Amino acid sequence: AQKVTQAQTEISVVEKEDVTLDCVYETRDTTYYLFWYKQPPSGELVFLIRRNSFDEQNEISGRYSWNFQKSTSSFNFTITASQVVDSAVYFCALSEATNFNKFYFGSGTKLNVKP
Amino acid sequence: DVKVTQSSRYLVKRTGEKVFLECVQDMDHENMFWYRQDPGLGLRLIYFSYDVKMKEKGDIPEGYSVSREKKERFSLILESASTNQTSMYLCASSLPEDNEQFFGPGTRLTVL
């Protein structure tokens, strides 16, 4: 069974639109970590955020915000006022405390921001 | 800043060739990882090393081996490349007590 599901394969928006990337996860561990990475066309995955399972506070960093809801096993990522530079593939990942260094990645969501 | 480098950005090899993909990190990280990335499948772990000469199989180790002779270097070896190993290969590293992984730029391998 897929531990991390990113149902949106590809999303296209026009610059300045807000966009939300969905991530649903599955785990039996009570302690786990959730991540978002950005992969621009250059290829290198860039770390965006890590949350642990005990911290359900939403996070905001500039135009980026994350909504962590344990009740729905979701960790969604919103970009406000999107820009062309936000065009990339975004990956959500899960790490469980029982195997701390093993990541389960979602299949990724490709975001196209058009001018 | 952590720097993870990979020896080639693009590589073209023939079926049956032995292929070496090299990864070097400069932050003294104990953990190093090799992933392959395929459309619709995300990143899948091939092998993981938590120390010099130590390795563990990931989810898809078949057809691959690894070598970690020095702490900073982790090599992925395709003993006899096949067309189904055409993919993007990503290397990553991390500290054992911190599971944030730092990634290299990737090697896009094409096997003809």
Side-chain angles (χ1 to χ4, degrees):
Chain A
Q2 195 102 2
K3 281 189 177 275
V4 178
T5 302
Q6 294 180 257
Q8 303 149 309
T9 305
E10 189 164 352
I11 302 174
S12 292
V13 298
V14 176
E15 214 171 13
K16 296 184 184 173
E17 281 186 25
D18 298 348
V19 58
T20 295
L21 309 183
D22 297 333
C23 174
V24 174
Y25 63 92
E26 180 186 327
T27 181
R28 292 182 180 177
D29 280 24
T30 54
T31 303
Y32 53 89
Y33 302 83
L34 295 163
F35 297 78
W36 276 96
Y37 280 85
K38 173 183 180 180
Q39 185 181 42
S42 59
E44 182 175 331
L45 267 74
V46 176
F47 168 83
L48 295 178
I49 191 171
R50 171 178 55 197
R51 300 314 296 258
N52 72 54
S53 52
F54 299 109
D55 184 1
E56 272 194 89
Q57 261 193 321
N58 289 333
E59 176 105 1
I60 298 175
S61 177
R63 296 183 297 107
Y64 293 173
S65 62
W66 291 269
N67 184 298
F68 177 24
Q69 291 204 336
K70 288 174 81 168
S71 60
T72 56
S73 296
S74 64
F75 186 45
N76 296 339
F77 173 31
T78 297
I79 301 174
T80 303
S82 59
Q83 299 177 1
V84 172
V85 293
D86 295 327
S87 296
V89 180
Y90 291 86
F91 289 98
C92 180
L94 165 73
S95 160
E96 297 167 321
T98 47
N99 198 346
F100 184 68
N101 289 295
K102 180 169 173 57
F103 278 23
Y104 299 92
F105 281 90
S107 54
T109 297
K110 184 176 183 183
L111 176 64
N112 302 306
V113 182
K114 300 175 183 177
Chain B
D1 273 356
V2 177
K3 191 84 173 166
V4 181
T5 57
Q6 296 183 228
S7 50
S8 307
R9 291 302 304 272
Y10 299 94
L11 210 51
V12 180
K13 294 292 181 181
R14 297 230 173 254
T15 300
E17 279 193 73
K18 190 168 186 175
V19 182
F20 292 87
L21 303 183
E22 305 285 345
C23 175
V24 177
Q25 50 90 9
D26 65 1
M27 285 301 289
D28 207 33
H29 284 176
E30 282 81 1
N31 295 337
M32 295 189 75
F33 308 82
W34 274 107
Y35 293 91
R36 66 176 278 176
Q37 179 184 356
D38 299 290
L41 296 176
L43 278 71
R44 292 178 292 166
L45 182 65
I46 305 172
Y47 267 99
F48 158 50
S49 170
Y50 52 91
D51 204 347
V52 176
K53 296 193 187 296
M54 307 303 285
K55 62 185 179 185
E56 279 190 19
K57 292 181 180 179
D59 298 317
I60 51 164
E62 297 79 18
Y64 304 95
S65 61
V66 290
S67 172
R68 183 115 182 255
E69 296 297 319
K70 293 184 178 181
K71 191 175 186 180
E72 67 270 19
R73 187 180 296 270
F74 192 33
S75 303
L76 180 69
I77 303 156
L78 287 65
E79 295 289 342
S80 177
S82 63
T83 54
N84 63 12
Q85 292 178 309
T86 291
S87 187
M88 169 75 106
Y89 291 87
L90 290 158
C91 176
S93 71
S94 72
L95 291 167
E97 67 274 16
D98 181 348
N99 62 353
E100 179 186 339
Q101 293 185 17
F102 296 84
F103 284 82
T107 296
R108 190 166 291 282
L109 172 67
T110 301
V111 183
L112 301 175

